[in-house]
Amino acid sequence: MMISQLFILSSKGDHLIYKDYRGEAGSDVIDVFYEKVTALTGDQPPVVMSHKDLHFVHIRQGGLYWVATTTADSSPFSIIEFLNRLSGLVKDYCGSLSEKAIQMNFALIYELLDEVLDYGYVQMTSSDVLKNFIQSEAVSSKPFSLFDLSNVGLFGAETQQNKVAPSSAATRPIQSSRDPGGKSEIFVDVIEKMSVVIGSNGVLMKADIEGEVRVKCYMPSCSEMRIGLNEEFSVGKSQLRGYGAAVRVDECSFHQSVQLDEFHSHRILRLCPSQGEHAVMQYRLSDELPSAPPFRLFPSVERDSAGRLLMYLKLRCDLPPKSTAINLSASIPVPRGAVSLSQELSSPDQSAELQLQNRTVFWKIPRFCGGTQLSALFKLDVPGLSSASLLEVGPVGLSFELPKWTGTGLQIRFLRLSPVHPGPSQRWVRYVTHSDSYIIRI
């Protein structure tokens, strides 16, 4: 049995999970499948359908479509059995099968798929065996009760909005401070700055990340705070521990108030925070990224028959599907002498302008969802444009903000205060990655 692609869709056709194992079919297969399955009449559509040389096999579980594609002469009954076992695995790990459960645990499900399938061949589907390899923690989708003390302090980026009472705090600027007073709150912000250089051939040439864990305390009194980091957090390659992808940094330093007696054994920072804002931990990762760079550019620069400069740019966001980049701006240097710009953008919320004094085109994208691609066609009038002038285009510089995402993978496992305050208080964990210098050569 060989599987080419596997994906999970909502009943409305929304893409929840997508994995291409063999690259044998285009990315439009999801739309092709949904069009076929919704065009069928009757309450029981066939579980096996074909399109050209591709075969779709699917089941319905939890109101979702679980679909596998294959180009080989595989037994459909074997694939159906595998899909049923996969849905059972996801239910075992996530507690339920629903669109919300899939959305909240997409990282865990992708990790499951990496273990279950290798290049399209089934490896294992046993929960007892897989539990030794899966590192991600499942996020419960059950409603949170403020009176359930077992949940207090155990939240992170994906669970925060489901386990904490609604507030405007989560949407406040992460790098701005405010005057003490008002509500009793504590913020733990993980802030990272990313520097990347990508060559014209698409190869990553340089990648540095500088980060810090910053505590903002607006509580009248707090005797002790314990911040739990990833259990597989390591400083330097010599400290790599356990199985799986560890969160590694090259250098790490701590504020003098941080007590490290639990850090080496359990990766816990212990401190007694005072009123105000403090960077309790700073770290750096050099010449390496644990995952693909968040953005990839596919440029085309040429001169048309009318002597104008044509720049066709396709920008792909390689963040997870539920992540979003905001306030993205691309600056593209253009040849000297450019006098005007016309543009064709792939969505109406984008904008672009030519700044003559800087001889730069600025392409602005307010919101960019992970797993998607945007494009722009720029036509510039450049009197006396020559072949040598084309070499003046680029490199492209990106500026962006990535909320709820860290380039290193650093996460806060828990945030606990001792003693527990009887009065109303709020605790927030927030993540953001900014571009420090993100350069793509053309």
Side-chain angles (χ1 to χ4, degrees):
M1 181 178 68
M2 184 180 69
I3 291 175
S4 177
Q5 296 161 311
L6 191 142
F7 48 91
I8 304 174
L9 307 182
S10 71
S11 59
K12 298 180 181 179
D14 297 323
H15 307 177
L16 303 178
I17 298 291
Y18 173 78
K19 190 83 172 175
D20 190 342
Y21 290 96
R22 304 183 63 85
E24 296 174 332
S27 58
D28 62 337
V29 294
I30 296 179
D31 297 327
V32 171
F33 166 77
Y34 192 70
E35 289 174 4
K36 281 183 168 292
V37 79
T38 52
L40 295 169
T41 58
D43 297 331
Q44 298 294 329
V47 296
V48 180
M49 297 180 292
S50 297
H51 174 71
K52 298 181 180 179
D53 295 330
L54 194 66
H55 306 290
F56 298 93
V57 182
H58 80 279
I59 63 172
R60 289 291 301 273
Q61 292 284 359
L64 307 172
Y65 292 101
W66 303 70
V67 190
T69 69
T70 181
T71 57
D73 189 17
S74 301
S75 166
F77 297 104
S78 299
I79 299 179
I80 292 171
E81 174 65 18
F82 165 73
L83 291 174
N84 279 305
R85 291 191 182 185
L86 177 64
S87 64
L89 271 177
V90 173
K91 185 175 182 180
D92 287 344
Y93 274 89
C94 301
S96 64
L97 288 183
S98 66
E99 181 177 350
K100 183 178 180 181
I102 300 295
Q103 290 173 339
M104 294 173 64
N105 290 280
F106 74 91
L108 169 63
I109 295 171
Y110 276 114
E111 190 174 355
L112 274 171
L113 291 177
D114 287 339
E115 298 293 342
V116 168
L117 286 166
D118 182 20
Y119 197 56
Y121 293 97
V122 178
Q123 302 300 302
M124 67 186 84
T125 56
S126 169
S127 297
D128 292 335
V129 177
L130 285 168
K131 69 182 180 181
N132 298 317
F133 306 112
I134 301 302
Q135 304 294 313
S136 300
E137 294 288 338
V139 178
S140 173
S141 60
K142 66 180 182 179
F144 171 67
S145 170
L146 291 175
F147 300 101
D148 182 3
L149 298 181
S150 64
N151 286 324
V152 173
L154 299 176
F155 61 89
E158 298 299 327
T159 62
Q160 173 180 330
Q161 294 180 350
N162 299 287
K163 292 192 175 184
V164 181
S167 167
S168 62
T171 59
R172 292 184 202 145
I174 199 166
Q175 287 186 306
S176 66
S177 59
R178 63 188 185 92
D179 295 331
K183 284 198 295 185
S184 180
E185 296 175 312
I186 279 189
F187 295 81
V188 175
D189 296 335
V190 180
I191 305 168
E192 295 187 351
K193 294 187 298 182
M194 176 181 292
S195 299
V196 167
V197 177
I198 298 176
S200 57
N201 56 358
V203 174
L204 183 65
M205 302 176 64
K206 175 189 175 184
D208 295 327
I209 296 177
E210 293 184 358
E212 65 178 16
V213 177
R214 182 168 291 272
V215 172
K216 301 176 185 178
C217 180
Y218 304 115
M219 300 187 72
S221 63
C222 178
S223 60
E224 184 179 83
M225 173 191 296
R226 297 171 77 239
I227 302 172
L229 306 180
N230 308 64
E231 291 183 336
E232 290 300 324
F233 180 82
S234 65
V235 183
K237 293 183 179 179
S238 62
Q239 289 192 12
L240 290 175
R241 311 179 304 172
Y243 177 88
V247 176
R248 186 184 69 83
V249 299
D250 294 319
E251 303 171 15
C252 189
S253 60
F254 304 92
H255 190 271
Q256 59 185 6
S257 64
V258 178
Q259 301 180 48
L260 301 175
D261 52 325
E262 293 184 87
F263 177 75
H264 298 292
S265 57
H266 300 294
R267 296 310 191 222
I268 296 174
L269 307 179
R270 190 159 58 89
L271 66 150
C272 298
S274 57
Q275 283 271 344
E277 184 174 338
H278 310 279
V280 299
M281 172 177 151
Q282 295 178 317
Y283 54 93
R284 180 183 178 89
L285 177 63
S286 300
D287 297 326
E288 187 175 352
L289 288 179
S291 58
F295 299 101
R296 198 63 198 280
L297 182 69
F298 303 92
S300 175
V301 180
E302 59 185 26
R303 181 174 53 178
D304 69 1
S305 57
R308 293 179 302 179
L309 173 64
L310 298 184
M311 295 190 302
Y312 181 60
L313 306 178
K314 291 194 297 183
L315 186 62
R316 189 178 73 198
C317 182
D318 286 334
L319 294 173
K322 296 304 177 181
S323 298
T324 302
I326 61 175
N327 300 327
L328 187 142
S329 176
S331 59
I332 309 109
V334 296
R336 284 183 290 270
V339 294
S340 64
L341 169 71
S342 61
Q343 57 194 267
E344 297 177 17
L345 305 177
S346 59
S347 63
D349 59 338
Q350 303 174 46
S351 63
E353 63 173 339
L354 170 63
Q355 292 190 358
L356 296 176
Q357 65 274 23
N358 300 324
R359 65 178 188 89
T360 301
V361 172
F362 286 93
W363 178 21
K364 297 182 179 180
I365 304 170
R367 190 176 183 86
F368 199 173
C369 295
T372 63
Q373 181 173 280
L374 297 175
S375 62
L377 175 61
F378 298 120
K379 302 177 182 179
L380 290 104
D381 290 318
V382 186
L385 181 68
S386 64
S387 299
S389 301
L390 300 182
L391 300 177
E392 299 180 34
V393 177
V396 177
L398 297 186
S399 172
F400 52 82
E401 182 178 334
L402 309 178
K404 301 183 181 180
W405 188 84
T406 57
T408 59
L410 179 65
Q411 297 282 306
I412 304 298
R413 280 187 292 134
F414 59 79
L415 170 61
R416 295 173 183 159
L417 305 179
S418 177
V420 177
H421 289 261
S425 64
Q426 298 284 4
R427 284 164 282 179
W428 305 96
V429 174
R430 304 181 296 184
Y431 304 86
V432 67
T433 296
H434 294 274
S435 58
D436 192 22
S437 173
Y438 198 103
I439 304 299
I440 304 175
R441 296 176 180 174
I442 295 180

